[in-house]
Amino acid sequence: MHPAQRIIYRYRRKRFILCIILATITFIVTLGLRYYTVQSDYKREIDTYNQRAVASLESVLEPIEVARKSLAVLTGIPCDMAQYQLREQAARLQTVRSIGLVKQGNLYCSSVFGQRDIPISQLQPSLPSMHPVMRLAIASSLLPGSPILLLWEPSSPDGQSGVIQTVNIELLAALTLKPQPPMIEKAVLNVANDYLVDKKVIQDIRPRKPGLVEHRFYSKRYPLAVVVTGPSPGAAALKSLPAQIPLAIMISLLTGYITWLATATRMSFSWEINLGMAAHEFEVFCQPLVRARDRQCIGVEILLRWKNPRQGWISPDVFIPLAEQQDLIAPLTRYVLIETVRHLHLFPSTEQFHISINVAASHFHRGVIIKDLRRYWFPYKPEQQLMLELTERDALPDMDYRIVRELHQMGVQLAIDDFGTGQSSLSYLERLNPNVLKIDKSFTAAIGTDAVNSTVTDIIIALGKRLKIALVAEGVETELQEGYLRRHGVSVLQGYLFAKPMPIADFPRWLAGDLPPPAINKEKPRSALTLR
Ligand code: C2E
Ligand code: CA
Ligand code: CA
């Protein structure tokens, strides 16, 4: 894989991983929130049910209590005198089955049977009592075997006399404690230690089914509680989660997509280039150009280098095409202009010395390059001749020729870089009217080895001469190439044979001859990049 593709791929992968992570977190958080809200809803449902059930039981028991207390004065009064009031109260309080008066431990008067004479302890062992009593019991006289709620109100300090009421608790419980699936499978009345379950009074109602739990809600007024059994809100919420999955997937996909869009700039190579410019990670190098006749340095080409702290050295072959693709080539060229101007004092200060800067064709659109030169180059009044190198692979035919003319008028020279590698067209060559053709290093390398390409070299040289365009050969690595080019009339040479690109600060020492000539690198010239 090409380094540029590898870098882009790495950024894409990072972005993708981030999206996956955020989408997964969103998925988990959405389900978590749904779990939490469903669980809270279930808990609230149970609480509301219990509160309502206890409140309605209390509201039924309150008037019964009032009646019991008011009837306490009747204990001791003969039954035939009290009976009418007992009946009247029993009739008024619909849930009350019977009311009885007890004297000296004996039930002597009942709203149902009238005069009686039964020890109350026979009917209910816990009676008589000095304290008020509320108990679940099974009726023994009227409708024997049916559950009742016994209510006792003592009327004498020794607790031997008092009023006893029996309440149709079965009906009351059936009305107030209806199951409410799925959360309330069963609701049971609890009075003291007894529970009313399926018309029976029992002492233990542990949930039999596994996974069911019990919630108990006590009355603040009476010794009773409502006990509901059903699935635990947590388990029920967990059970409801599969239904929430489609929603969670949708939200997490949306999050992933938004992250993908939002990171398009921040997690991209273009963001990295911007960061690099801001942090001055780019360094300008220069490579001398020498006169073929006497090897005298007559100019330099400015070349960018990028020391990226995260990726290491990145070759211009990688980042320049990417910068062109991402519309960042103009800012990079401005960076080069600014840096070159800052180092102008290191170059010979004469108009015979030229400084070549590589410019992308896109920078020529709407005259942006002219504005930039007016802003970043000319205000510093450089003595040196400015030359712009345009690479032929950039869509030269699309160039705005009025801008080219204006550049010529401003005294800027134009060179066509890598000449012969792109789609050369003689007509635009004529219209562009370049000052220099730079013979691509692949043709220089072919000299003496590759018959076809060295023929092309000869043709380019002939073309330059015919159109009276100066020729510069790049990539000169051997004296054989140097001799050949010189003999064929190429006036300026550039290549490792004379100097490799160097930091601008090293240039004065190189010019003074203090730097040793470079070791020739046999590396093959690289072809222009093609990115998907
Ligand atoms: P280019 O404009 O054709 O630059 C010449 C390239 O050939 C440079 O590679 C240079 O180091 C290399 N070179 C010079 N002499 C020899 C030689 O004798 N043998 C061999 N094998 N190579 C030689 P570099 O610096 O890696 O730049 C690569 C390309 O990146 C440049 O090709 C140019 O198209 C682009 N580039 C570099 N700096 C800039 C810049 O500031 N702006 C723009 N737009 N493009 C730039
Ligand atoms: Ca160049
Ligand atoms: Ca070139």
Coordinates of all heavy atoms in Angstrom, one line a residue, residues 227-276:
V227 N -49.9 -6.9 51.0 CA -48.7 -7.5 50.5 C -48.9 -7.9 49.1 O -49.8 -8.7 48.8 CB -48.4 -8.8 51.4 CG1 -47.1 -9.4 50.9 CG2 -48.3 -8.4 52.8
V228 N -48.1 -7.4 48.2 CA -48.3 -7.8 46.8 C -47.1 -8.7 46.4 O -46.0 -8.5 46.8 CB -48.4 -6.6 45.8 CG1 -49.6 -5.8 46.2 CG2 -47.2 -5.8 45.7
T229 N -47.3 -9.6 45.5 CA -46.2 -10.4 45.0 C -46.3 -10.3 43.5 O -47.3 -10.1 42.8 CB -46.3 -11.9 45.3 OG1 -47.7 -12.3 45.1 CG2 -46.0 -12.2 46.8
G230 N -45.1 -10.3 42.9 CA -44.9 -10.2 41.5 C -43.5 -10.2 41.1 O -42.6 -10.4 42.0
P231 N -43.1 -10.1 39.8 CA -41.7 -10.1 39.5 C -41.0 -8.9 40.1 O -41.7 -7.9 40.3 CB -41.7 -10.0 37.9 CG -43.1 -9.5 37.6 CD -44.0 -9.9 38.7
S232 N -39.7 -9.0 40.3 CA -39.0 -7.8 40.9 C -39.0 -6.8 39.7 O -38.8 -7.1 38.6 CB -37.7 -8.2 41.3 OG -36.8 -8.2 40.3
P233 N -39.1 -5.5 40.1 CA -39.0 -4.5 39.0 C -37.8 -4.6 38.2 O -37.8 -4.4 37.0 CB -39.0 -3.2 39.8 CG -39.7 -3.5 41.1 CD -39.3 -4.9 41.4
G234 N -36.7 -5.0 38.8 CA -35.4 -5.1 38.1 C -35.5 -6.2 37.0 O -35.2 -6.0 35.8
A235 N -36.1 -7.4 37.5 CA -36.2 -8.5 36.6 C -37.2 -8.2 35.4 O -37.0 -8.5 34.3 CB -36.6 -9.8 37.3
A236 N -38.3 -7.5 35.8 CA -39.3 -7.2 34.8 C -38.7 -6.2 33.8 O -39.0 -6.3 32.6 CB -40.5 -6.6 35.5
A237 N -37.9 -5.2 34.3 CA -37.3 -4.2 33.4 C -36.3 -4.9 32.5 O -36.3 -4.6 31.3 CB -36.6 -3.2 34.2
L238 N -35.6 -5.9 33.0 CA -34.6 -6.7 32.2 C -35.4 -7.4 31.1 O -34.9 -7.5 30.0 CB -33.9 -7.7 33.1 CG -32.5 -8.1 32.7 CD1 -31.6 -6.8 32.6 CD2 -31.9 -9.1 33.7
K239 N -36.5 -8.0 31.5 CA -37.3 -8.7 30.5 C -37.9 -7.8 29.4 O -38.0 -8.3 28.2 CB -38.5 -9.4 31.2 CG -38.7 -10.8 30.9 CD -39.7 -11.4 31.8 CE -40.7 -12.4 31.1 NZ -41.7 -12.8 32.0
S240 N -38.1 -6.5 29.7 CA -38.6 -5.6 28.7 C -37.5 -5.1 27.8 O -37.8 -4.4 26.8 CB -39.3 -4.4 29.4 OG -38.3 -3.5 29.8
L241 N -36.2 -5.4 28.1 CA -35.1 -4.8 27.3 C -35.1 -5.2 25.9 O -34.9 -4.4 25.0 CB -33.8 -5.1 28.0 CG -33.4 -4.1 29.1 CD1 -31.9 -4.3 29.5 CD2 -33.7 -2.6 28.7
P242 N -35.3 -6.5 25.5 CA -35.2 -6.9 24.1 C -36.1 -6.0 23.2 O -35.7 -5.6 22.1 CB -35.7 -8.3 24.1 CG -35.3 -8.8 25.4 CD -35.5 -7.7 26.4
A243 N -37.3 -5.5 23.8 CA -38.1 -4.7 23.0 C -37.5 -3.3 22.8 O -37.9 -2.6 21.8 CB -39.5 -4.5 23.7
Q244 N -36.6 -2.9 23.6 CA -36.0 -1.6 23.5 C -34.8 -1.6 22.5 O -34.2 -0.6 22.2 CB -35.5 -1.1 24.9 CG -36.4 -1.3 26.0 CD -37.6 -0.4 26.0 OE1 -37.5 0.6 25.2 NE2 -38.6 -0.7 26.7
I245 N -34.3 -2.9 22.2 CA -33.1 -3.0 21.4 C -33.2 -2.2 20.0 O -32.3 -1.5 19.7 CB -32.7 -4.4 21.2 CG1 -32.1 -4.9 22.5 CG2 -31.7 -4.6 20.1 CD1 -31.7 -6.4 22.6
P246 N -34.3 -2.3 19.3 CA -34.3 -1.6 18.0 C -34.1 -0.1 18.2 O -33.3 0.6 17.4 CB -35.7 -1.9 17.5 CG -36.1 -3.1 18.1 CD -35.5 -3.2 19.4
L247 N -34.7 0.5 19.2 CA -34.6 1.9 19.5 C -33.1 2.2 19.8 O -32.5 3.2 19.3 CB -35.5 2.3 20.7 CG -35.3 3.8 21.1 CD1 -36.0 4.7 20.1 CD2 -35.9 4.0 22.5
A248 N -32.5 1.4 20.7 CA -31.1 1.6 21.1 C -30.2 1.5 19.9 O -29.3 2.3 19.7 CB -30.7 0.6 22.1
I249 N -30.5 0.5 19.0 CA -29.7 0.4 17.8 C -29.8 1.7 16.9 O -28.8 2.2 16.4 CB -30.1 -0.9 17.0 CG1 -29.7 -2.1 17.7 CG2 -29.5 -0.8 15.6 CD1 -30.1 -3.4 17.0
M250 N -31.0 2.2 16.8 CA -31.2 3.4 15.9 C -30.4 4.5 16.5 O -29.7 5.2 15.8 CB -32.7 3.7 15.8 CG -33.3 3.2 14.6 SD -35.1 3.1 14.7 CE -35.5 4.8 14.9
I251 N -30.5 4.7 17.8 CA -29.9 5.9 18.5 C -28.4 5.7 18.3 O -27.6 6.7 18.1 CB -30.3 6.0 19.9 CG1 -31.8 6.4 20.0 CG2 -29.5 7.1 20.6 CD1 -32.4 6.5 21.4
S252 N -27.9 4.5 18.5 CA -26.4 4.3 18.5 C -25.9 4.5 17.1 O -24.8 5.0 16.9 CB -26.0 3.0 19.1 OG -26.6 1.9 18.5
L253 N -26.7 4.0 16.1 CA -26.3 4.2 14.7 C -26.2 5.7 14.4 O -25.2 6.1 13.7 CB -27.2 3.5 13.7 CG -27.1 2.0 13.6 CD1 -28.1 1.4 12.6 CD2 -25.7 1.6 13.2
L254 N -27.2 6.4 14.9 CA -27.2 7.8 14.6 C -26.0 8.5 15.3 O -25.3 9.3 14.7 CB -28.5 8.4 15.2 CG -28.8 9.8 14.8 CD1 -29.2 9.8 13.3 CD2 -30.0 10.4 15.6
T255 N -25.7 8.1 16.5 CA -24.5 8.6 17.2 C -23.2 8.3 16.4 O -22.4 9.2 16.2 CB -24.4 8.0 18.6 OG1 -25.6 8.1 19.2 CG2 -23.3 8.7 19.4
G256 N -23.1 7.1 15.9 CA -22.0 6.7 15.1 C -21.8 7.5 13.9 O -20.8 8.0 13.5
Y257 N -23.0 7.7 13.2 CA -23.0 8.5 12.0 C -22.6 10.0 12.3 O -21.8 10.6 11.5 CB -24.4 8.4 11.3 CG -24.5 9.2 10.0 CD1 -23.7 8.8 8.9 CD2 -25.4 10.2 9.9 CE1 -23.8 9.5 7.7 CE2 -25.4 10.9 8.7 CZ -24.7 10.6 7.6 OH -24.7 11.2 6.4
I258 N -23.2 10.6 13.3 CA -22.9 12.0 13.7 C -21.4 12.1 14.0 O -20.7 13.0 13.6 CB -23.8 12.5 14.8 CG1 -25.2 12.6 14.3 CG2 -23.3 13.8 15.4 CD1 -26.2 12.9 15.4
T259 N -20.9 11.1 14.7 CA -19.4 11.1 15.1 C -18.6 11.0 13.8 O -17.6 11.7 13.7 CB -19.1 9.9 16.0 OG1 -20.1 9.8 17.0 CG2 -17.7 10.0 16.6
W260 N -19.0 10.2 12.9 CA -18.3 10.1 11.6 C -18.2 11.4 10.9 O -17.2 11.8 10.5 CB -19.0 9.0 10.8 CG -18.3 8.7 9.5 CD1 -18.6 9.2 8.2 CD2 -17.1 8.0 9.3 NE1 -17.7 8.8 7.3 CE2 -16.7 8.0 7.9 CE3 -16.2 7.3 10.1 CZ2 -15.6 7.4 7.4 CZ3 -15.1 6.6 9.6 CH2 -14.8 6.7 8.2
L261 N -19.4 12.1 10.9 CA -19.4 13.4 10.2 C -18.6 14.4 11.0 O -17.8 15.2 10.4 CB -20.9 13.9 10.1 CG -21.8 13.1 9.2 CD1 -23.2 13.8 9.1 CD2 -21.2 13.0 7.8
A262 N -18.8 14.4 12.3 CA -18.1 15.4 13.2 C -16.6 15.3 13.2 O -15.9 16.2 13.4 CB -18.7 15.3 14.6
T263 N -16.1 14.0 13.0 CA -14.7 13.8 13.0 C -14.0 14.0 11.6 O -12.8 13.8 11.5 CB -14.3 12.5 13.6 OG1 -15.0 11.5 12.9 CG2 -14.6 12.4 15.1
A264 N -14.9 14.3 10.6 CA -14.3 14.3 9.3 C -13.1 15.2 9.2 O -12.1 14.9 8.5 CB -15.4 14.8 8.3
T265 N -13.2 16.4 9.8 CA -12.0 17.3 9.7 C -11.0 17.0 10.8 O -9.8 16.9 10.6 CB -12.5 18.7 9.8 OG1 -13.4 18.9 10.8 CG2 -13.1 19.2 8.5
R266 N -11.5 16.9 12.0 CA -10.6 16.7 13.2 C -9.8 15.5 13.1 O -8.6 15.5 13.6 CB -11.4 16.7 14.5 CG -11.7 18.1 15.0 CD -12.3 18.1 16.3 NE -12.0 19.4 17.0 CZ -11.0 19.6 17.8 NH1 -10.2 18.6 18.1 NH2 -10.8 20.7 18.3
M267 N -10.3 14.4 12.6 CA -9.5 13.2 12.6 C -9.1 12.8 11.2 O -9.4 11.8 10.7 CB -10.3 12.0 13.2 CG -10.5 12.2 14.7 SD -11.2 10.8 15.5 CE -9.8 9.7 15.4
S268 N -8.5 13.8 10.5 CA -8.2 13.5 9.1 C -6.8 14.0 8.9 O -6.2 14.8 9.7 CB -9.1 14.3 8.2 OG -9.0 15.7 8.4
F269 N -6.3 13.7 7.8 CA -4.9 14.1 7.4 C -4.9 15.6 7.2 O -3.9 16.2 7.5 CB -4.5 13.4 6.2 CG -3.0 13.4 6.0 CD1 -2.2 12.8 6.9 CD2 -2.5 14.0 4.9 CE1 -0.8 12.8 6.7 CE2 -1.1 14.0 4.7 CZ -0.3 13.5 5.6
S270 N -6.0 16.2 6.7 CA -5.9 17.6 6.5 C -5.9 18.4 7.9 O -5.2 19.4 8.0 CB -7.2 18.1 5.7 OG -8.3 17.5 6.3
W271 N -6.5 17.8 8.9 CA -6.4 18.4 10.2 C -5.0 18.3 10.7 O -4.4 19.3 11.3 CB -7.3 17.6 11.1 CG -7.3 18.1 12.6 CD1 -6.7 17.6 13.6 CD2 -8.0 19.2 13.1 NE1 -6.9 18.3 14.8 CE2 -7.7 19.3 14.5 CE3 -8.9 20.2 12.5 CZ2 -8.2 20.3 15.3 CZ3 -9.4 21.2 13.3 CH2 -9.1 21.3 14.7
E272 N -4.3 17.2 10.4 CA -2.9 17.0 10.8 C -2.0 18.0 10.1 O -1.1 18.6 10.7 CB -2.5 15.6 10.4 CG -1.3 15.1 10.9 CD -1.4 14.6 12.3 OE1 -2.5 14.2 12.8 OE2 -0.4 14.5 13.0
I273 N -2.3 18.3 8.8 CA -1.5 19.3 8.0 C -1.7 20.7 8.7 O -0.7 21.4 8.9 CB -1.9 19.3 6.5 CG1 -1.5 18.0 5.9 CG2 -1.3 20.5 5.8 CD1 -1.9 17.9 4.4
N274 N -3.0 21.0 9.0 CA -3.2 22.3 9.7 C -2.5 22.4 11.0 O -1.9 23.4 11.3 CB -4.7 22.4 9.9 CG -5.4 23.0 8.7 OD1 -4.9 23.9 8.1 ND2 -6.5 22.4 8.3
L275 N -2.5 21.3 11.8 CA -1.8 21.3 13.0 C -0.3 21.5 12.8 O 0.3 22.2 13.5 CB -2.0 19.9 13.7 CG -3.2 19.7 14.6 CD1 -3.2 18.4 15.2 CD2 -3.4 20.8 15.6
G276 N 0.2 20.8 11.8 CA 1.6 20.8 11.4 C 2.0 22.2 11.1 O 3.1 22.7 11.5

